[in-house]
Amino acid sequence: MRNDEELMNALAGLQSRQPDAEWAERVRERCHARMAQVGRATGPGRTRIGLLEAATIAALWLYVAVILKQVAHTLGLSGPFG
Amino acid sequence: MKTMQHDLATGWVERLQCGDPSVFDEVFDALNPRLLGFLERMTRERSVAEDLAEETWLRLVSNAHCLRPDTNLVAWLYTVARNLFVGHLRARSREQAYTMEWLSLWPDAVARGPYEEAASSEFERRLERALGALPATYREVLLLVGMEGLRPVDAAQVCGISAEALRQRLSRARQMLERTLQLTQDREASR
């Protein structure tokens, strides 16, 4: 009968087999791809896209406001913008 | 006992968060064989262990930006791997119960685990067999503390139990392993 320490040493001495190289390469590639995907979604590039989107939306709203004002002017309506 | 690279593992999180693939490669190369070995000894099936390990790594890269810089990456990885293993067991429990019922009719038909096949000595083979015969809750604590070299406090975190509960479980697991080893030795001697 072995004592506890011997048993734990025997466990620590058990070998780990090397992973299959093809499998490991596939996992590595998938993880790199996922990292790039996550990086695009959360990184500084994403902030730049967000600002661009906000600026485009603001410009569109301004354009719509100008059009509405012109329509109102053409119809002879007066309003706060006169 | 093997020592786990805790300090290095803590530094890895911040470096991983920079999104540099070479840092991931470093972590992957250092920890993947052991993570896969742990899962293989838990599942006793290489293909299932590979699937679970792959999912564990994908979860790391998907969630690295959410981790605290002081996260113990090794404990985090084993926790995810273990949770995936538990999920896998749940999904297969009904199928397994059915299979075990049939296998109990032919005890010798229980397949040897992959590590048992590859053992380099008679004692290692018996040890692998005895480990494989333990219930998963006891096997995992022996693997995490005895083989992977996790500190008991980290192993307790991985298993979702208190440090005291882990200590008791580990003690019981050692006794069970010793008894199982003795049984196999006696059985083989009597042949």
Side-chain angles (χ1 to χ4, degrees):
Chain A
M1 186 78 69
R2 288 162 185 267
N3 65 33
D4 279 357
E5 198 180 338
E6 270 183 292
L7 203 54
M8 294 309 267
N9 284 338
L11 279 175
L14 289 177
Q15 299 300 310
S16 282
R17 279 195 296 165
Q18 280 304 308
D20 175 68
E22 202 175 307
W23 169 81
E25 203 43 48
R26 190 168 52 83
V27 175
R28 192 190 302 271
E29 278 170 17
R30 281 197 71 192
C31 288
H32 285 182
R34 180 72 63 88
M35 280 177 93
Q37 198 181 347
V38 171
R40 278 195 298 275
T42 59
R46 176 69 195 162
T47 313
R48 272 200 298 278
I49 292 169
L51 286 173
L52 190 66
E53 281 169 354
T56 307
I57 290 167
L60 277 173
W61 274 112
L62 191 64
Y63 178 73
V64 170
V66 169
I67 295 286
L68 285 176
K69 187 184 169 195
Q70 285 299 325
V71 169
H73 182 73
T74 307
L75 294 176
L77 298 173
S78 59
F81 304 112
Chain B
M1 188 177 291
K2 288 173 190 170
T3 54
M4 190 52 81
Q5 298 160 301
H6 290 288
D7 298 336
L8 195 53
T10 305
W12 271 331
V13 173
E14 277 186 287
R15 294 171 61 209
L16 261 178
Q17 287 173 334
C18 299
D20 182 354
S22 68
V23 178
F24 170 78
D25 289 349
E26 198 182 316
V27 179
F28 185 73
D29 291 339
L31 300 178
N32 186 49
R34 294 164 69 174
L35 186 73
L36 186 64
F38 168 71
L39 283 167
E40 203 169 352
R41 284 187 170 94
M42 290 305 292
T43 60
R44 295 175 66 76
E45 280 181 73
R46 182 80 168 191
S47 60
V48 176
E50 284 179 346
D51 288 348
L52 299 182
E54 180 171 356
E55 184 57 32
T56 303
W57 288 113
L58 284 168
R59 291 202 182 181
L60 171 66
V61 292
S62 302
N63 297 294
H65 63 285
C66 305
L67 297 179
R68 285 170 37 165
D70 63 347
T71 302
N72 180 332
L73 190 58
V74 175
W76 190 90
L77 279 170
Y78 279 98
T79 304
V80 173
R82 178 191 181 269
N83 290 344
L84 288 170
F85 168 67
V86 171
H88 164 78
L89 276 192
R90 283 193 185 128
R92 282 184 55 174
S93 59
R94 286 180 67 188
E95 179 195 339
Q96 211 162 19
Y98 179 77
T99 309
M100 289 312 287
E101 200 173 320
W102 279 101
L103 283 175
S104 66
L105 299 173
W106 296 279
D108 290 339
V110 178
R112 286 180 168 192
Y115 278 98
E116 198 183 326
E117 295 285 356
S120 60
S121 71
E122 181 57 24
F123 175 71
E124 260 189 33
R125 191 187 63 73
R126 284 199 295 114
L127 186 57
E128 292 282 5
R129 190 164 181 77
L131 256 181
L134 292 185
T137 46
Y138 294 104
R139 188 159 72 240
E140 71 177 358
V141 292
L142 283 171
L143 289 174
L144 290 171
V145 178
M147 195 180 164
E148 304 303 327
L150 262 69
R151 294 178 303 175
V153 65
D154 292 330
Q157 185 193 326
V158 170
C159 300
I161 56 178
S162 69
E164 178 55 24
L166 181 109
R167 196 188 60 75
Q168 288 175 8
R169 194 177 289 181
L170 186 61
S171 168
R172 177 113 177 92
R174 278 198 205 109
Q175 289 170 10
M176 289 172 82
L177 183 64
E178 207 169 315
R179 204 178 313 135
T180 312
L181 269 171
Q182 191 64 46
L183 275 174
T184 55
Q185 192 174 1
D186 294 348
R187 194 181 302 160
E188 282 170 19
S190 67
R191 277 182 187 170

